[in-house]
Amino acid sequence: MAELLADHTTLRVGGPAGDWVEAGTEADLVEAVAAADERAEPVLVLGGGSNVLVADDGFAGTAVKIATRGVTADVDDDGATCGGVMVTVAAGENWEAFVGRAVERGWVGVEALSGIPGAVGATPIQNVGAYGQDVAQTIASVRVWDRKLRGVRTFANADCGFGYRHSRFKADPGRHVVLEVTFQFTQGDLGAPIAYAELARTLGVGVGERVPMADVREAVLGLRRGKGMVLDIDDHDTWSAGSFFTNPVVAPDAVPAGAPTWPAEGGVKVSAAWLIEHAGFGKGYGVQLTDGRASLSTKHTLALTNRGGASTEDLLAVAREVRAGVENAHGIRLVSEPVLVGCEL
Ligand SMILES: Cc1cc2nc3c(=O)[nH]c(=O)nc-3n(C[C@H](O)[C@H](O)[C@H](O)COP(=O)(O)OP(=O)(O)OC[C@H]3O[C@@H](n4cnc5c(N)ncnc54)[C@H](O)[C@@H]3O)c2cc1C
């Protein structure tokens, strides 16, 4: 029987895959992708399925689930000093488990990225970020299989084209299969300077101060749980793909009065959650539209959630209403953050 992609995505939607391969080694991964390319068959690379929305019709090609493992540090734990460490991680390693390990070992710089689901190999794709950190701050290089050149390549950080929820890998969709990510960490007990006001308030310190990494991790996990942003099978608010819309970057004079903003390259980044709420969409919006199957999270307006039994079309119906309402109210068109596979907003 065909593998149902709904069983491999955190939104728990998506029809069958034409073919399904679980690749436990790098050789198997490259072989599966290269063989499908040779047959001119579409390929869907999947990590944890936490940032995709797959069509109800599924994916008519080969879906390759990355299950490679391995974390290698270039210094022994015993020899750990303040000198720094390079850590190479296989694409299939779980991100949240890796962050836990980093905090335990004193590898500084990803502690604020606690609680984010998915695999390490996906983190460079959209330059995963939260609470003032993103992976571009600690990634040294990304090793990939280049499907166009049919060879392995390594991109140094400066060549990854990292931006807000963006990279060269996202700009050129499907071309690069991330095999390994190498991080460069400083070492110590204190986390990187706190760069996010809400996190600083929770920790009772000022922005720019440093506190033990374990405290940062705990505070972030607490904040995220309160927003339904830590996976929990019993909590439908976490049956999501995280934030469904990115915070739009607009010209300073296009910012609606009162909207929270952050500095950004090319303009000002505006809170998408604020835009949604101030266009009349509250937490839980969408229940009526979909007979209770899909809605905005009841904890956080930026997350689109499956309340149980939702289809991809149900989720898209809510997303379309919200996007149209925000455009009407504020003249700003929201862009979806998850990768849409075989469907359109
Ligand atoms: C509850 C929740 C909270 C979240 N919070 C955050 C957050 O705070 N910040 C944030 O940035 N994101 C967040 N996300 C989104 C998501 O977790 C991240 O984007 C994560 O990195 C996706 O990893 P994944 O392995 O699940 O990727 P998938 O969903 O499997 O894939 C996402 C995309 O990356 C591609 N891809 C995956 N692995 C590879 C690879 N090895 N090589 C090439 N392409 C690949 C896929 O083809 C697809 O296009 C959240 C999601 C959920 C469900």
Side-chain angles (χ1 to χ4, degrees), residues 5 42-46 52 54 59 61-65 147 339 341:
L5 291 168
V43 174
L44 172 63
V45 169
L46 266 189
V52 286
V54 182
F59 181 72
T62 302
V64 182
K65 160 96 179 171
R147 293 171 60 200
V339 176
V341 179

Side-chain angles (χ1 to χ4, degrees), residues 7-175:
D7 293 337
H8 300 279
T9 65
T10 53
L11 274 165
R12 293 167 173 79
V13 294
D19 208 355
W20 174 258
V21 178
E22 210 156 317
T25 67
E26 193 175 295
D28 288 350
L29 171 56
V30 170
E31 153 73 25
V33 173
D37 283 345
E38 207 125 288
R39 298 192 297 271
E41 235 177 67
V43 174
L44 172 63
V45 169
L46 266 189
S50 63
N51 210 29
V52 286
L53 177 60
V54 182
D56 292 315
D57 287 345
F59 181 72
T62 302
V64 182
K65 160 96 179 171
I66 303 190
T68 52
R69 295 285 179 271
V71 179
T72 318
D74 73 346
V75 293
D76 299 334
D77 274 352
D78 290 347
T81 64
C82 289
V85 56
M86 304 288 278
V87 184
T88 298
V89 191
E93 286 284 340
N94 177 270
W95 173 256
E96 160 57 13
F98 173 63
V99 173
R101 187 167 178 160
V103 169
E104 261 171 36
R105 300 281 167 95
W107 301 339
V108 180
V110 288
E111 57 282 354
L113 302 177
S114 294
I116 298 177
V120 170
T123 59
I125 307 290
Q126 72 154 0
N127 182 20
V128 158
Y131 295 100
Q133 282 180 356
D134 59 39
V135 289
Q137 294 163 351
T138 43
I139 284 179
S141 63
V142 180
R143 204 165 135 265
V144 303
W145 170 255
D146 182 333
R147 293 171 60 200
K148 196 164 170 191
L149 299 183
R150 301 180 62 73
V152 172
R153 299 172 74 188
T154 297
F155 293 102
N157 179 303
D159 297 323
C160 289
F162 286 129
Y164 165 62
R165 292 303 86 79
H166 199 67
S167 71
R168 77 176 299 154
F169 313 114
K170 191 162 179 179
D172 198 353
R175 172 168 175 178

